[in-house]
Amino acid sequence: MATKPFVTPDWLHQRLSAPDIVVLDASWYLPAQGRDAEAEFRAAHVPGAIRFDIDAVSDETSPLPHMLPHPEVFSSRMRALGIGDGAQIIVYDGLGLFSAPRVWWMLRTFGVRDVAILEGGLPAWIAAGYPTEDGEVRPRERRHFTARFDHGSVADTGDVARALDRNAAQVVDARSGPRFRGEEAEPRPGVRPGHMPGARNVHYAALQANGRLKDEASLRAAFAEAGVDLDRPVITTCGSGVTAAIVSLALETLGRPPRALYDGSWADWGSDESRPVATGPV
């Protein structure tokens, strides 16, 4: 039975003023998309929403993009945003379903269980006729937040290498087919084109339509076409750990939660000359 970790715009509108509801604008865009998440937030956001920047809430000591911060740093950032223990958190983004799943995964990894994604994101909120507000949001009062880090939900390079060598888990890559096959150069300097030998490719765009996940039958068909066995463990990956969370979300809705997400993803593996790289189709 599929489950949906989403709330609808109607649901959120009815509860927007509830004291325990916290709404996060988690918009983030690739450079090629030519959009400014911060400027767009100031122009229009769900009333009362807090801006959650995945680059600002990250491990600033890592050379890799937006890696998870240490638990104590995450706790500090959440407190500064006025997000405390026991809050019911709703996450959305400006594309409908792109970066919000990354923040949904982050929050769950740090122990937040009452978190959901606004179905259809900001576009669906606006299409439903609900108001937005502009400008900066007044900082909330600091709250106590306790990070409870789930080590098992995060994979590193060694975990992925062992899974592939021992066939202990399937590695599912969310990048586009041309990037996966090494037909396109990677956007980050020093990162080789191609994929991990033995990985499978399920482009995140194949799992969604109109800013929402596709229906259960379509999701299952997309995984089956890529040769992914939903009865076996999965580690998700992508370019830098953002769209991998869309694959994780799709698996979750199918009742097949992934073993872990590879936080460094291809930015990590592809820049490490000691790691093997395959090109072409699987």
Side-chain angles (χ1 to χ4, degrees):
M1 176 68 69
T3 58
K4 294 186 69 177
F6 296 99
V7 299
T8 66
D10 290 346
W11 184 98
L12 180 58
H13 184 256
Q14 292 169 15
R15 296 164 177 82
L16 195 58
S17 60
D20 61 334
I21 293 285
V22 175
V23 182
L24 300 182
D25 184 318
S27 300
W28 178 88
Y29 303 109
L30 294 166
Q33 292 169 320
R35 296 177 63 166
D36 185 331
E38 189 67 36
E40 290 186 17
F41 176 80
R42 290 194 298 268
H45 52 263
V46 171
I50 300 169
R51 175 89 179 99
F52 189 102
D53 184 346
I54 64 172
D55 288 320
V57 187
S58 65
D59 182 0
E60 296 176 350
T61 68
S62 173
L64 297 170
H66 37 255
M67 292 286 286
L68 286 179
H70 295 289
E72 59 273 17
V73 173
F74 188 81
S75 291
S76 176
R77 300 288 168 80
M78 293 290 279
R79 292 167 188 158
L81 291 172
I83 304 170
D85 294 332
Q88 185 174 13
I89 302 176
I90 310 301
V91 188
Y92 74 86
D93 65 54
L95 285 175
L97 192 69
F98 184 67
S99 52
R102 166 72 185 193
V103 175
W104 166 83
W105 172 78
M106 287 178 68
L107 291 165
R108 286 162 53 97
T109 297
F110 283 111
V112 179
R113 285 295 171 260
D114 202 352
V115 54
I117 296 170
L118 178 62
E119 190 168 35
L122 186 61
W125 177 268
I126 294 172
Y130 295 132
T132 61
E133 64 181 14
D134 58 12
E136 302 288 348
V137 174
R138 184 168 60 86
R140 294 163 58 97
E141 179 183 350
R142 290 178 68 93
R143 309 270 179 102
H144 180 74
F145 181 90
T146 307
R148 299 174 176 85
F149 187 59
D150 178 6
H151 293 271
S153 71
V154 186
D156 62 19
T157 308
D159 297 325
V160 174
R162 285 188 292 274
L164 291 168
D165 289 344
R166 302 170 185 174
N167 197 28
Q170 303 162 102
V171 175
V172 178
D173 191 323
R175 292 176 301 155
S176 69
R179 284 182 66 188
F180 178 85
R181 294 188 295 270
E183 298 165 359
E184 292 181 357
E186 283 296 303
R188 293 178 179 83
V191 179
R192 297 167 293 170
H195 60 269
M196 304 155 201
R200 299 288 178 174
N201 184 212
V202 179
H203 189 206
Y204 71 88
L207 303 175
Q208 56 180 254
N210 302 316
R212 294 173 169 83
L213 280 184
K214 291 181 177 179
D215 60 75
E216 180 180 355
S218 298
L219 295 178
R220 289 184 179 278
F223 285 114
E225 184 178 355
V228 178
D229 183 350
L230 294 177
D231 291 326
R232 295 188 59 232
V234 170
I235 296 173
T236 62
T237 183
C238 61
S240 64
V242 175
T243 59
I246 299 175
V247 179
S248 296
L249 177 67
L251 291 167
E252 181 86 16
T253 67
L254 294 174
R256 295 290 188 270
R259 172 178 291 180
L261 183 151
Y262 179 16
D263 195 22
S265 283
W266 192 249
D268 187 18
W269 187 286
S271 62
D272 184 348
E273 295 290 340
S274 71
R275 298 296 178 184
V277 171
T279 56
V282 175

